[in-house]
Amino acid sequence: MTTSKFDKSLLIEQIRQIETPHPLNCDNEDELSDFLLNQTFHERLWQRAKRLVRQHDLSAALSHAARLSRTIKTITLTLVALLGAVGTMYAITDSDTINIYWLLLVLLGFNFISMLLWLIGISLNMDGLTSGLFARFTSRLPGLLNKVNSDKQGNINISGLADRAWLRCFYSATVGKWQLSKITHQLWLVYLLAGLTSLLLLMMVRQYDFIWGTTLLSDSVFIQLTGSLSQPLSLIGFMTPSVEQVQESRLGVEHILTAEHRSHWAQFLLGSLLCFGILPRLLLLLLSSLMSIRARRLFSLDLYLPYYIDLRQRLVPLASHGQIVDADTSPPVMTDIEQQIPLSHSLPEHTKWAAIELGDKFSWPISLINGLNNFGQVIDRESLESTLQCLQTSQCQVLAVVVAAARSPDRGVQRSITSLTLHCSQRWLVLLQSPDEKKISSKRLTAWYQLAQACNIPADHVISLSVDKT
Amino acid sequence: MSSNKQNNSDFNYPSNSKAAINVGVVGHTNAGKTSLIRTLLRDDHFGNVDDAAGTTRSVEQSAIYADNEVVLNLFDTPGFEDSSALLIALDDLSISIKPNSPTELLKAFIDQQGRYADFKQEIKVLRQSLSSDVLLYIIDVREPLLGKYRDEVEILSKAGKPILPVFNFIADENQALNRWRDQMALFNLHAALEFDTVAFDFEAEKRLYQKLQSLMERHYDPLQRLIDYRQQVWQNLNQAAAQRIFILICDVACYRLEATASQSSQSKTIGGNGFSDTDVNKMQAFVRNAEQQALTDLLAIFSFTQLDIDLQQLPVSEGRWELDIFSPHMLKEFGLGIGASALSGAAVGVGVDLMVGGMSLGAASLLGAAIGGGWATARRYQQEFKAVWRRHQWLCVDDDTVSLLYLRQCRLLSTLSHRGHAAQNKLKLVDNGKVGLPQKWPSLLKSLRQNPQWHQATPDDAEYHKSQKLMLEWLLLGN
């Protein structure tokens, strides 16, 4: 048997209620998202919930509210049936007479008022009216259950949480409205059927006279009422009492009723119960059942709750995460570099200068460099080539290569420095910084020292120079 | 390419993996390639991000889904480090082998990789470029225009694949951005994208997919599905966050504590002088706890980790706000007037429900209450009747505190919905001074105050839904 969407949602909600204060560990949840590919998020939630139920043995806790509800419903239906039967018995004033209008009031009068209230409630969307006492009782249930299921600190146990979710799903919002309506109509139907059955049994085994009486109202009211009720009954074939027969049944009139007279009253009573009580209730029960089915079908989880947002991210990932497809087979061997702090240092007088990729933040040459000692700035292949030619021509022995300390050194910069300093006997690496620039990180400094080492520049030849930016 | 396929065979794709677009993410070392992928994947654990060259040394693949369909395969590649030398090497090889096409030259170079040990990182980039459908060339616009970048574009163009330049780190770099645009135009790369991996903006992500649509017409439909799906997911996150904020504000505004007569009778002024410390502390503890739970939920909705909190400089420490909501400084910071309570030195945040001397008229209209019957009305107002009978008052959270709470959540939401998953530099994203209360805030607050039954409940009530809708509009669409 396939599980309905509502039942799936109910299970998911119960698990949510439980997991909110007591997160449950779901084994192999990742597998679940792979296994349920092409499934909707709702379906994935349900599968996960089922897995949690199995894993944590939650079946009993989850079905507790349903079982309790069934028990309460059975007891209530029994009580209502007894009430209907007792109410009917009460209409028998003495051993062999039945008070007609009392019976109509007990069985149909209250039923009519209840139906009227229900209709007003359902039309004006007033929940309090649609479901009567039963709704009021159920609205109190969560609080009562919380008290029963909580410990001294007020923490609700798992069964209590599952019950709360069950009640919320079944007895709140639109589903609740129609569910309570359904139960209300069921109760009244049982009450009326019990009344009808008792009446039938009583009339089958004994011969009753039918009487009525009034103190405040006039006789014509009852005659008119009987006439109005009889009209539709006559149309569907019930025999109903005539005006004379109604008058003859008045309490105090000394007249022995004929068998035909009794039969007319009996048919009138049974017909009224069926047409004005049982049939409308049956139709309303049918309507409520259909609306309840529709409401359950339209029931949806509030997927905007943080709980579901989190689960969506876990069960319906937006992306798969990294998998190496072309691995680095020989990672670089990092040599330990003695951490030093580059200091300002005066260089030999005949030092030549070249800069590498200083960027727009520094103008080259910087002010302290004599134009003749400047071999330019390397910014591309052409400028590297021209600088190398200048170095070759001048047979430079002491070269200071200036770099922007804040920039990240790479293999290209390393190659440029190596080629520039290849034929120099003394090499310097100058880390250029601006006074308003924040101090470079130790990681970046280490990277420059590593580069210096790779270019055969001694660590004490790595110096810092502070100049204003352009 | 064959080696890629072999490696990918055990990769668990949902569906349509063969039709997915292979996107090579390339660029100079440290330009933000891994950061971009982290942001697109919403995963700050992807790859390694560091402020140093050569952090990524392998080609790493990940996939982006639209529901159950793989639309994009993203390939994170090592960065170029010495493109000038690589170009020289390619030119030399070209002279010796005389290839028929630039692609053939790259393939020959890769085949002879043993000869070019220095370029093993770059060879991975070349191999991936040849097997990709499109290349995202990531540019750190803060960098100067150097020859090596031109060389990189020249090398990549030999792969014969569409190249989409992606400008990263663009905040406050308009001039640099224009220079880079001009530079890319020299290579006929006119379609470019601004995508800041630090100051993430969903619209930029959407533009990325739209640019890919224009570059690859035959993949238009799956990319559109991806755009729609991502848009939906993004909206869901924001909606969930806004809904959570409404629940917080509703809980706090509707919260009431019945204060005992002996204390409350002493004073009726807002400020709480007449209330016992126990009552005030209880009320404040409730507010703190409610805000804490909301913070936890909001951080979870946007998958915010402690790293993100640190990077975005959120005033949150170990998952808790650093500054207490009842601190008078908070009112100042958010430009709210300091209430009488603070000025008088009384407990901050305490208000008295003065509406009808301790009895609030609920929003359920009198007519409705009357029709609903005496029982229902009595039940709705039973607490009020009891309070009047016992001469008690309701202690509630004052308007300033509720407003403050709302403003702090607005700022939080703004920060959470604008961060990248890749930030390496701390960045203050939200201008604190510009968050203001909506015009209809007082009427919403009044509505909440009048419905204490909404406290910690989700009623199926038209007025409740109307209030929720209004606040969600403010939070998601602006005041």
Side-chain angles (χ1 to χ4, degrees), chain A residues 212 223 242-251 253 265:
Chain A
W212 58 273
I223 294 164
S242 62
V243 176
E244 294 73 32
Q245 285 173 333
V246 175
Q247 281 169 341
E248 282 171 16
S249 300
R250 190 178 183 324
L251 193 66
V253 175
W265 273 119

Side-chain angles (χ1 to χ4, degrees), chain B residues 21 34 51 53 65 241 259 271 289 325 341 354 357 408:
Chain B
I21 307 160
T34 307
D51 188 19
Y65 309 148
N289 190 38
I325 190 77
S341 54
L354 287 172
R408 185 142 85 163

Side-chain angles (χ1 to χ4, degrees), chain B residues 237-393:
Chain B
L237 288 186
N238 284 282
Q239 172 92 12
Q243 198 165 300
R244 184 63 188 85
I245 292 173
F246 174 75
I247 291 169
L248 167 70
I249 300 300
C250 187
D251 275 353
V252 172
C254 298
Y255 175 81
R256 295 189 311 171
L257 183 71
E258 196 178 344
T260 50
S262 56
Q263 286 136 354
S264 62
S265 59
Q266 291 169 22
S267 170
K268 282 188 176 183
T269 54
I270 293 175
N273 280 338
F275 297 102
S276 72
D277 286 349
T278 317
D279 286 339
V280 171
N281 290 341
K282 196 174 169 188
M283 188 274 289
Q284 292 189 337
F286 165 76
V287 177
R288 285 191 192 101
N289 190 38
E291 195 190 20
Q292 176 56 40
Q293 282 177 7
L295 174 66
T296 309
D297 286 344
L298 289 169
L299 292 175
I301 286 170
F302 285 95
S303 311
F304 235 64
T305 61
Q306 186 57 48
L307 176 68
D308 298 306
I309 291 168
D310 294 342
L311 291 171
Q312 307 301 329
Q313 293 194 320
L314 265 178
V316 170
S317 172
E318 292 176 359
R320 307 186 76 85
W321 287 106
E322 282 169 357
L323 201 54
D324 187 63
I325 190 77
F326 294 106
S327 159
H329 300 293
M330 284 292 294
L331 291 165
K332 263 188 193 170
E333 195 187 332
F334 282 84
L336 291 171
I338 300 175
S341 54
L343 289 172
S344 64
V348 182
V350 178
V352 188
D353 190 347
L354 287 172
M355 302 201 67
V356 194
M359 181 178 140
S360 307
L361 278 177
S365 66
L366 281 175
L367 181 67
I371 296 171
W375 190 87
T377 312
R379 205 185 141 200
R380 159 69 183 81
Y381 295 105
Q382 61 182 326
Q383 297 301 324
E384 278 88 346
F385 290 138
K386 271 191 211 165
V388 171
W389 179 257
R390 292 189 216 156
R391 294 176 178 277
H392 284 187
Q393 277 186 323

Side-chain angles (χ1 to χ4, degrees), chain A residues 447-468:
Chain A
W448 281 118
Y449 272 99
Q450 277 171 337
L451 180 135
Q453 190 184 48
C455 299
N456 290 321
I457 298 173
D460 55 356
H461 279 206
V462 179
I463 61 170
S464 73
L465 185 62
S466 180
V467 292
D468 288 330

Side-chain angles (χ1 to χ4, degrees), chain A residues 13-149:
Chain A
E13 267 296 284
Q14 285 184 302
I15 293 294
R16 179 179 77 81
Q17 279 288 347
I18 294 170
E19 278 205 285
T20 305
H22 311 289
L24 300 171
N25 180 38
C26 182
D27 288 346
N28 306 320
E29 195 175 88
D30 296 342
E31 275 178 23
L32 197 68
S33 63
D34 291 340
F35 170 70
L36 294 169
L37 291 173
N38 300 321
Q39 300 277 13
T40 61
F41 178 47
H42 189 271
E43 193 65 20
R44 291 177 197 218
L45 285 173
W46 182 58
Q47 292 287 355
R48 179 181 176 276
K50 279 205 305 181
R51 186 174 282 205
L52 284 175
V53 173
R54 275 199 306 273
Q55 206 177 305
H56 298 275
D57 200 16
L58 298 172
S59 307
L62 296 179
S63 58
H64 176 256
R67 276 186 280 120
L68 190 68
S69 163
R70 274 197 298 274
T71 311
I72 292 174
K73 198 172 162 185
T74 310
I75 294 169
T76 317
L77 286 171
T78 312
L79 286 174
V80 163
L82 282 172
L83 204 65
V86 170
T88 308
M89 304 278 205
Y90 206 69
I92 301 167
T93 50
D94 53 46
S95 57
D96 54 3
T97 55
I98 292 176
N99 191 330
I100 308 152
Y101 293 110
W102 166 249
L103 197 61
L104 285 180
L105 179 72
V106 167
L107 291 177
L108 293 182
F110 296 135
N111 174 56
F112 177 75
I113 293 168
S114 154
M115 273 201 292
L116 196 68
L117 285 174
W118 181 83
L119 279 169
I120 294 171
I122 214 81
S123 316
L124 301 177
N125 202 20
M126 293 168 66
D127 292 344
L129 293 184
T130 51
S131 337
L133 284 167
F134 199 80
R136 284 163 203 169
F137 175 67
T138 50
S139 68
R140 290 280 182 176
L141 261 185
L144 292 173
L145 284 173
N146 285 352
K147 279 180 192 162
V148 172
N149 292 310

Side-chain angles (χ1 to χ4, degrees), chain B residues 132-305:
Chain B
S132 296
D133 299 314
V134 64
L135 301 175
L136 297 184
Y137 177 59
I138 315 300
I139 296 162
D140 178 352
V141 297
R142 300 168 302 181
E143 280 286 287
L145 296 171
L146 297 169
K148 61 186 179 186
Y149 298 123
R150 286 193 293 274
D151 294 342
E152 284 170 8
V153 180
E154 199 175 328
I155 293 164
L156 288 171
S157 62
K158 291 181 192 300
K161 300 293 162 67
I163 300 172
L164 178 66
V166 178
F167 300 123
N168 194 11
F169 304 109
I170 49 177
D172 303 323
E173 297 284 351
N174 283 341
Q175 264 191 327
L177 184 63
N178 289 335
R179 277 205 308 271
W180 273 103
R181 276 194 183 283
D182 295 343
Q183 185 69 30
M184 288 300 110
L186 294 176
F187 288 93
N188 282 326
L189 298 174
H190 298 282
L193 179 79
E194 294 167 27
F195 190 107
D196 203 311
T197 52
V198 179
F200 170 66
D201 171 18
F202 179 71
E203 288 305 311
E205 183 183 338
K206 211 162 95 178
R207 282 199 299 278
L208 166 64
Y209 303 136
Q210 285 165 343
K211 298 263 181 189
L212 291 178
Q213 276 180 317
S214 63
L215 286 174
M216 290 179 295
E217 185 68 25
R218 81 190 163 89
H219 293 287
Y220 187 92
D221 289 340
L223 281 165
Q224 189 56 47
R225 284 196 292 279
L226 179 65
I227 292 169
D228 296 342
Y229 182 71
R230 285 245 155 179
Q231 178 97 44
Q232 186 61 49
V233 171
W234 185 246
Q235 279 170 358
N236 285 352
L237 288 186
N238 284 282
Q239 172 92 12
Q243 198 165 300
R244 184 63 188 85
I245 292 173
F246 174 75
I247 291 169
L248 167 70
I249 300 300
C250 187
D251 275 353
V252 172
C254 298
Y255 175 81
R256 295 189 311 171
L257 183 71
E258 196 178 344
T260 50
S262 56
Q263 286 136 354
S264 62
S265 59
Q266 291 169 22
S267 170
K268 282 188 176 183
T269 54
I270 293 175
N273 280 338
F275 297 102
S276 72
D277 286 349
T278 317
D279 286 339
V280 171
N281 290 341
K282 196 174 169 188
M283 188 274 289
Q284 292 189 337
F286 165 76
V287 177
R288 285 191 192 101
N289 190 38
E291 195 190 20
Q292 176 56 40
Q293 282 177 7
L295 174 66
T296 309
D297 286 344
L298 289 169
L299 292 175
I301 286 170
F302 285 95
S303 311
F304 235 64
T305 61

